Amino acid sequence: MAMLNNIISRSHIFTLHILILFLLFDSYTNTTSATENGTSEGARSSTIPIGVVLDTNSPIGSMVDLCMKMAVEDFYEKHPTYATRLQLHNRNAETILDANFAVVELLKQEAVQGVIGPERSAEEAFFAELGKNVRVPMISFTSSSKATSYTNNHYLVRTTPDDAVQAQALAAICKEFQWSELAVLYEDTDSGSQFVSLLNKEFQKADIGLSYMVAIPNSADDIDILKELNKLATRQTRVFLVNMNVYLGNRLFLLAKRAGVMSEGYAWIVSNSLSIFMDSMDFATHDSMEGVIGIRPYLSRSKDLDSFRGRWKRNVTLRSTSTGSVMELNAYGLWAYDAVTALAFAVEKINSSMLNLSATTNGSQKNLSVSTFGPELVKKLSNIKFRGLSGEFELVDGKLKASEFEIFNVIGSGEKTVGFWMPDRGIVRDISTRYSDELKSIVWPGDSLTRPIGWAIPSSGKLRVGIPWKHGFEEFVDAIDLGDGHVKASGFSIDIFLATLEALPFRLNYEFRIYNDTRDINWSYDDMLQKIPEEFDMVVGDTTNWAPRAEYVDFSLPYSESGVVLVVKNRKPFDMWIFVKPLSWDLWLAIIVSCIVMGIVLLVLEHRVASSEVDSMSAPKEKSGMVYWSPVAVLAFPERNMVSNSWSALVLIFWLFMAFILMQSYTANLSAILTVDQLKFAFSDNYYVGCQDGSFMKKFLVDQLHISATRLRSYASAEEYHQAMKQGSKNGGVDAIFDEIPYMKILLNKYDDEYKMAGPTYRTGGFGFAFPKGSSLAAHFSKAILDVTQGSNMTEIEQTNFGPGYSSQDPLSATISQGTSSLTFHEFAGLFLVIGSVTVLALFFSETPIGRKLSTNARQFVHNCINFRSSSRLNPVVDSTSIAGESSKGVAEDVHEPVQDNVISHPSPQHGEVEMHEIALIDNFPAVQNVA
């Protein structure tokens, strides 16, 4: 009984203990519950809803989704005292339409204040426009293009590097390897096209050409991709840059290996759109990419990153059992992780008054609200700086600040880092020391250690050089088919080609192939150039660099003179009165009238001067006739004094000034008529123009000079040109020839004094070598042509083919025939006729009795006319003089000699001479005193 009581007593104590423990637990539970409820209420008031739009069923979507969830857990584990908390609302979106509906649903139902997404670049435009309207930031961890400008839309935030920075890095790599051109294979999407545009801009700065750009859609079949790769194998370019998603890229490289373009001599570069996923590729794809050069953002190692990788792999192991395959961790997952971290930092920095979310209705978006929290969130995001898993996180103009890129080489089943590209230093070998040097050794496709030069002769291994067969102007190209594929070629163009081969920095094997070996008369240079690259790798000959041809071939620099000229017959102006032509009839008439008027004026002025005491009546009579001729005589006898009045001398001075101007103008105009005017040419009404067979001249004359095609006749050689010009248009020939300068110089050299160049020179590109569009050989041959044409052997090549004395350094050496440089008697026969006639008349009137009689009668008639007019003027003067003499007789008697201060007397004139006086000018007025 005592034992039982003892047991009962102990059981009561145990029950009491149990009861006390239960009460304590209950109290703890209530306290904890209350605490949790309080915390939950507080958290609910500071919870920021963030939307996430992903395809969680895809490998990359599930990988990114796990990274973002781990980011939330890690952040608030490190910052438990933060008053805010992000709450992620996920929506699965397998298609573009699903993504668009998902983001609208998140904004309506969950009132999210930010959206992380989209996963695909095609969804970016809709997300950006929607975010702008509702003022909610859209944070993208995959977009790197500039499809939407940050200036116009601040609500699209990219946590990835800009593609423009990647394009700079790719251009620097190609320049490092000295590649002058490359082909681009890209995904046929908007983002792919935008990336190619950025590439083109940066590559132009580096003087690198994009020879081919091949757009491959995601829906392309393997056969279609293989056709494009086979086309690339026929091109000369051997460097290919790939920018496409991982799924399309995997297919491309498997097919590239099958097409044989992953062998020695080729070079492949992949952008980060593909290189980021290298760890997720299977062995077959990785093996097909042996020797590829890749570029991707550099992820520096850190303790946090190593720790995250370990935890991420453990979580993947647990998650893969329920959700399926998950892609290996890559930069996209780290960028998404850092995006969530940046959002968490940003919302914590926003003023607590903004945490009570409010919204207003947006009139343009029905049932959607305009966030008042979103604009503040965008501002805080722009100022966030921290060290994330992917590196330094800082947004500049809505995108991640430019950082370093890693350059790697695919070798076997792994990759080897061969260098880095830095925005401020360019390519460096070691990023830790920033030592700038060449990249580490690279294994190229085909297990080659030799850097590809970037181009090669396609297919056959020999350069197929096309040359034309022609039966005229063989000085340029003369081709003979020897049979069995052997061709003998000579001529100026062939010699230039052989000389440029010696100047190239590499060796080329070539073979000549004749075009128009059937001697077809309807062949053309355009048809020959159209055979590039199917039949010829290049064309050598007298092919002109003409703008329409540049649409389908590339030309080297010209090696000959350029331009089209007109050649006509060498005619001279057969006109015996050519000396009259410099002045028009009205000017001749004006000169004659001015001489007569000048003579009359001088006569009036000279009559004001009194004669000397010796012969007061005869001097004016004899002088008056000579004064009429003084305007002309003063030019013939400048040493004689023709006038006595100072005013007459002043008039003659101005007359001489005008006469000298007229004489100089006459001389200049006559010179122009005898030289420049000979180059003028005008077509007759029924003209025909000659041009060369097979050349571009017909189209040039019709399209640019607007000459009717019915007026054109074709010829093949200089001899045919000469024969057609001799016949003329009326006899089945031509009146003129239009052709390029090199051909016309040959014609003029053969028929020097019969033809001449007339009119302007029309520009063309000159003769050059033709290559396939985008061929790198064009640049190499252009440089070699410069070395040859500016070298010492150029003159020897020209004179060997065109004869001694020929030189392209003097392009006008044969333009004007030397036969037209001399003037003949016929041009001045009219002038000699006039002078001879005057001479004969002078001899007749001076030396023959009949002439002297006629001359005496004419002189007497003239004297009578002059005496009659003089007497009528002198009588009043004599009367006044006599009256004055009588009134002053006493004074006159005291004067022994007349005072002649201003008149210097000369001896009396002999028979046939005219009395002349020198007038002393005192105050510009003559003073003459006569005393009776």
Side-chain angles (χ1 to χ4, degrees), residues 583-889:
L583 306 181
S584 61
W585 66 268
D586 55 344
L587 183 55
W588 281 116
L589 181 61
I591 293 173
I592 295 172
V593 171
S594 64
C595 287
I596 296 173
V597 172
M598 195 68 63
I600 295 173
V601 171
L602 292 175
L603 178 62
V604 173
L605 291 174
E606 288 300 307
H607 272 287
R608 290 182 175 273
V609 180
S611 61
S612 63
E613 181 183 9
V614 178
D615 193 0
S616 60
M617 295 300 294
S618 63
K621 296 178 182 179
E622 295 178 359
K623 289 177 61 178
S624 59
M626 192 62 190
V627 168
Y628 275 112
W629 297 98
S630 58
V632 179
V634 75
L635 300 176
F637 309 106
E639 74 281 357
R640 298 285 300 273
N641 293 315
M642 300 295 179
V643 294
S644 300
N645 192 338
S646 60
W647 290 107
S648 301
L650 182 63
V651 170
L652 281 179
I653 288 173
F654 280 93
W655 162 253
L656 287 174
F657 178 72
M658 183 187 72
F660 277 117
I661 291 178
L662 288 173
M663 286 189 293
Q664 295 298 325
S665 301
Y666 176 88
T667 304
N669 205 17
L670 181 61
S671 300
I673 292 174
L674 296 176
T675 54
V676 177
D677 286 357
Q678 294 187 49
L679 302 179
K680 292 182 179 179
F681 174 78
F683 289 112
S684 60
D685 293 336
N686 297 317
Y687 71 90
Y688 283 91
V689 176
C691 59
Q692 189 177 165
D693 277 333
S695 71
F696 72 101
M697 288 308 305
K698 283 187 178 181
K699 187 172 179 59
F700 177 84
L701 296 175
V702 173
D703 294 347
Q704 297 193 25
L705 301 188
H706 307 292
I707 298 177
S708 173
T710 59
R711 296 292 181 182
L712 302 179
R713 291 174 177 172
S714 301
Y715 304 96
S717 65
E719 291 75 15
E720 292 184 9
Y721 275 155
H722 176 60
Q723 187 63 31
M725 292 285 276
K726 287 179 62 177
Q727 293 176 352
S729 297
K730 296 181 179 179
N731 299 318
V734 294
D735 291 332
I737 300 171
F738 268 111
D739 213 335
E740 295 180 86
I741 290 177
Y743 301 121
M744 294 297 92
K745 290 180 71 171
I746 292 177
L747 176 67
L748 295 176
N749 283 342
K750 288 185 176 181
Y751 310 100
D752 181 37
D753 59 347
E754 298 188 40
Y755 306 105
K756 64 186 177 185
M757 292 185 186
T761 299
Y762 302 94
R763 289 186 178 182
T764 58
F767 297 159
F769 302 149
F771 302 88
K773 198 70 176 172
S775 172
S776 59
L777 284 178
H780 290 290
F781 269 92
S782 294
K783 184 179 183 303
I785 285 174
L786 287 178
D787 294 337
V788 172
T789 55
Q790 297 176 7
S792 58
N793 295 330
M794 186 63 182
T795 301
E796 180 182 351
I797 295 174
E798 291 175 337
Q799 295 185 0
T800 300
N801 293 280
F802 303 132
Y806 184 96
S807 176
S808 61
Q809 304 302 320
D810 183 13
L812 298 178
S813 59
T815 58
I816 301 178
S817 173
Q818 299 301 319
T820 62
S821 61
S822 300
L823 299 176
T824 63
F825 172 79
H826 185 78
E827 279 88 12
F828 294 93
L831 182 59
F832 282 102
L833 180 60
V834 172
I835 296 174
S837 300
V838 173
T839 304
V840 170
L841 287 175
L843 290 174
F844 174 76
F845 286 111
S846 176
E847 301 299 330
T848 63
I850 298 176
R852 284 195 296 269
K853 185 176 181 180
L854 292 174
S855 176
T856 301
N857 293 336
R859 189 182 299 112
Q860 186 62 37
F861 176 78
V862 172
H863 286 175
N864 292 337
C865 293
I866 294 174
N867 290 337
F868 174 77
R869 189 174 65 175
S870 299
S871 61
S872 63
R873 294 183 178 181
L874 291 175
N875 287 334
V877 177
V878 172
D879 295 339
S880 60
T881 305
S882 62
I883 295 171
E886 293 176 356
S887 62
S888 56
K889 182 177 180 181

Side-chain angles (χ1 to χ4, degrees), residues 435-480:
Y435 178 66
S436 181
D437 197 357
E438 61 181 8
L439 298 173
K440 296 177 183 178
S441 60
I442 297 175
V443 178
W444 300 97
D447 294 329
S448 173
L449 297 177
T450 304
R451 175 184 61 84
I453 62 175
W455 63 274
I457 303 303
S459 59
S460 66
K462 284 188 176 182
L463 193 69
R464 301 167 299 170
V465 181
I467 56 176
W469 180 91
K470 50 193 298 186
H471 64 277
F473 293 107
E474 296 175 351
E475 294 88 349
F476 294 96
V477 179
D478 185 13
I480 302 175

Side-chain angles (χ1 to χ4, degrees), residues 125 127-135 146-158 378 397-399:
F127 275 58
E129 187 63 24
L130 185 61
K132 180 180 179 181
N133 288 333
V134 298
R135 298 182 183 177
K146 293 183 178 180
T148 302
S149 171
Y150 180 75
T151 305
N152 299 326
N153 189 351
H154 290 344
Y155 292 91
L156 179 63
V157 180
R158 303 179 178 92
V378 170
D397 293 335
K399 57 182 178 293

Side-chain angles (χ1 to χ4, degrees), residues 375-395:
E376 191 68 20
L377 181 58
V378 170
K379 292 180 182 179
K380 298 302 181 183
L381 277 174
S382 301
N383 298 324
I384 293 296
K385 295 181 183 179
F386 64 94
R387 175 74 182 182
L389 295 183
S390 63
E392 295 296 333
F393 185 95
E394 181 181 356
L395 296 178

